[in-house]
Amino acid sequence: YAGFATNWCVINRDYGLISTCQKGYNVILLRDATTGVEFHDSVDQLTATEIAIREIETKYAWSTTTDDFIVASKDT
């Protein structure tokens, strides 16, 4: 799973991570291929993105980087 608005759409939309996991899919978030909606005081450190990724990792799905995902997909 990758996309924009990690803290809004990726996690909460009807096609988002929570819904997808509830339907029984094994989801992997690509951390470096997603970003959250940031604010003027959070954009430099990508704070909203990091918090959303941590919530996803602790409650809903595994995560990895795109490079590790590509390497793993070649091994299967």
Side-chain angles (χ1 to χ4, degrees):
Y1 211 110
F4 178 68
T6 309
N7 48 336
W8 294 353
C9 296
V10 169
I11 204 169
N12 288 314
R13 297 292 294 184
D14 56 351
Y15 50 79
L17 277 165
I18 294 172
S19 176
T20 305
C21 290
Q22 289 173 343
K23 291 177 178 148
Y25 290 94
N26 184 20
V27 180
I28 300 170
L29 175 72
L30 300 177
R31 291 186 302 267
D32 56 340
T34 186
T35 191
V37 175
E38 297 292 341
F39 303 91
H40 69 26
D41 59 343
S42 69
V43 70
D44 290 338
Q45 272 93 37
L46 298 176
T47 306
T49 301
E50 184 62 29
I51 291 169
I53 290 171
R54 288 182 185 191
E55 181 179 2
I56 290 165
E57 291 171 334
T58 57
K59 293 181 180 178
Y60 306 109
W62 299 102
S63 73
T64 191
T65 63
T66 52
D67 288 340
D68 287 342
F69 183 79
I70 290 167
V71 168
S73 66
K74 289 180 181 178
D75 291 340
T76 58

